[in-house]
Amino acid sequence: MKARLAASAALALGVALGASGCSMITYQATTEHYDASDGVSANVGDLDLRNILVVSDDGVDGTLVLTIVNNGEDDVDLDVQVDGGDTVTIPVDAGATVAFGVDAAEDIDVVEPIVLEGIGVDPGSLLPIYFQYGSAEGVEKQVPVLDGRLPEYESLVP
């Protein structure tokens, strides 16, 4: 009788561990950051740059699309440099969220997208863009270049 009870308890313990213990050894994909849209993301100091992409039909000129969230307490001027070329400066107020060329919620400032001239990268390629402000360490991202075939991007073609 005792052997039967011990075997039942051991079997129940084995089933309980087998059913619940897999999360201890299994890779958890939900802990990994990913970009849920077509663009890429970056962090520069107190700035969160989200869904960065360029829209171009001919690869000559492109529209920079992104959302910037300033989590800091100071206004900043974000410098954006495309593949070693000219620098575009974007002012971002402290605590503000600014969306360039995309529809956004009421509390987000939506401004006209930035046209980058002479990018020289065909749609479907990646364009190196460097982001930096003040003394914060900058970051270079490989930004996807898309064309206007998708309805959400057709109005953004320069």
Side-chain angles (χ1 to χ4, degrees), residues 51-140:
N51 198 29
I52 310 164
L53 59 97
V54 174
V55 180
S56 175
D57 266 349
D58 57 9
V60 176
D61 296 334
T63 302
L64 178 64
V65 178
L66 78 155
T67 300
I68 304 172
V69 180
N70 185 348
N71 296 307
E73 297 178 4
D74 297 320
D75 297 346
V76 298
D77 291 326
L78 177 67
D79 292 328
V80 179
Q81 186 179 32
V82 179
D83 200 19
D86 294 335
T87 300
V88 175
T89 301
I90 303 171
V92 185
D93 294 337
T97 300
V98 182
F100 292 83
V102 294
D103 292 330
E106 289 179 18
D107 59 338
I108 297 176
D109 297 329
V110 178
V111 296
E112 290 296 315
I114 299 167
V115 176
L116 306 171
E117 296 179 353
I119 60 171
V121 176
D122 292 329
S125 302
L126 297 173
L127 176 65
I129 300 181
Y130 183 76
F131 300 92
Q132 198 269 332
Y133 76 89
S135 62
E137 183 175 347
V139 64
E140 181 176 275

Side-chain angles (χ1 to χ4, degrees), residues 17-38:
L17 285 176
S20 63
C22 63
S23 65
M24 294 185 332
I25 58 173
T26 303
Y27 169 73
Q28 297 295 313
T30 57
T31 62
E32 295 293 321
H33 170 77
Y34 73 99
D35 295 308
S37 188
D38 298 324

Side-chain angles (χ1 to χ4, degrees), residues 1-12:
M1 180 78 174
K2 287 184 182 184
R4 184 182 239 180
L5 183 60
S8 296
L11 180 62

